[in-house]
């Protein structure tokens, strides 16, 4: 199988995201993690830092994963990468509603693109970037949810 684009805010990347990448690689040869900004979420971590943290957190996957920022329509980004597949993860019923709305809009923009929705693994179903940001903002320990580079990022923020 060819390349798949995995879009999201990754604000920051968590073990839940990494699990979707790992399982996506069972279906596709290459995962392009596409980091955008979401209008209804506080960007909080700069795009440049989110990209660097994703690269480091996913470095074990070597050349099978690449990480890029994007600020175009998702369908344009997908076409630019010469693929027809988008990967997303599903945790809750709320995710399900949101994902379906998003994919239906995107399918209206380009019906040739297919969406692969992977259910979360039990281990990470409770993990979200929003909760990680919240815990980290109070100086809590987030090492059970994110890679060491993200823990380090928050540690450095605190000492600044
Ligand atoms: P967005 O703002 O586009 O929802 P996120 O970074 O929050 O971006 O999420 C990107 C994708 O990863 C979404 O499909 C989301 O459902 C999925 N995801 C996030 N956390 C998890 C998790 N713990 N398990 C499985 N999928 C997840």
């Amino acid at each position: 199988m060819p390349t798949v684009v995995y879009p999201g805010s990754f604000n920051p990347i968590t073990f839940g995201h990494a699990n979707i990448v790992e399982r996506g690689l069972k279906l596709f040869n290459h995962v392009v993690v596409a980091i955008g900004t979401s209008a209804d979420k506080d960007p909080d971590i700069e795009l440049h830092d989110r990209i660097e943290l994703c690269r480091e957190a996913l470095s074990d996957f070597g050349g099978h994963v690449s990480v890029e920022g994007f600020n175009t329509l998702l369908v344009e980004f997908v076409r630019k990468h010469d693929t027809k597949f988008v990967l997303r993860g599903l945790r809750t019923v709320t995710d399900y509603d949101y994902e379906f709305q998003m994919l239906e809009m995107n399918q209206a923009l380009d019906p040739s693109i297919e969406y692969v929705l992977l259910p979360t693994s039990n281990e990470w179903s409770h993990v979200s970037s929003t909760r990680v940001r919240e815990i980290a903002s109070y100086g809590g320990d987030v090492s059970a949810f994110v890679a060491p580079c993200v823990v380090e990022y928050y540690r450095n923020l605190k000492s600044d």
Side-chain angles (χ1 to χ4, degrees), residues 47-72:
L47 179 62
H48 170 267
D49 290 334
R50 279 185 279 145
I51 292 173
E52 284 309 309
L53 292 174
C54 275
R55 286 194 178 137
E56 201 166 333
L58 301 172
S59 58
D60 283 353
F61 299 113
H64 289 287
V65 174
S66 51
V67 181
E68 291 178 37
F70 78 108
N71 59 3
T72 61

Side-chain angles (χ1 to χ4, degrees), residues 17 53-54 64 68 70 82 85 92 152 154 158:
H17 291 124
L53 292 174
C54 275
H64 289 287
E68 291 178 37
F70 78 108
D82 216 11
F85 302 103
T92 58
E152 189 65 22
Y154 282 117
K158 238 173 51 183

Side-chain angles (χ1 to χ4, degrees), residues 6-17 19-20 23 36-38 40-41 87-91 95 98-99 102 117-121 124-130:
Y6 179 27
S9 1
F10 303 93
N11 186 18
I13 181 163
T14 68
F15 288 144
H17 291 124
N19 178 259
I20 295 294
R23 289 162 55 220
T37 42
S38 169
D40 57 354
K41 282 192 194 171
L87 178 67
R88 296 279 289 178
L90 281 180
R91 280 161 302 182
D95 268 358
Y98 175 76
E99 294 300 330
M102 190 192 85
L117 302 179
L118 288 183
T120 182
S121 73
W124 308 118
S125 58
H126 59 291
V127 176
S128 77
S129 301
T130 308

Side-chain angles (χ1 to χ4, degrees), residues 44-45 88 99 119 150:
D44 201 17
I45 303 180
R88 296 279 289 178
E99 294 300 330
V150 181

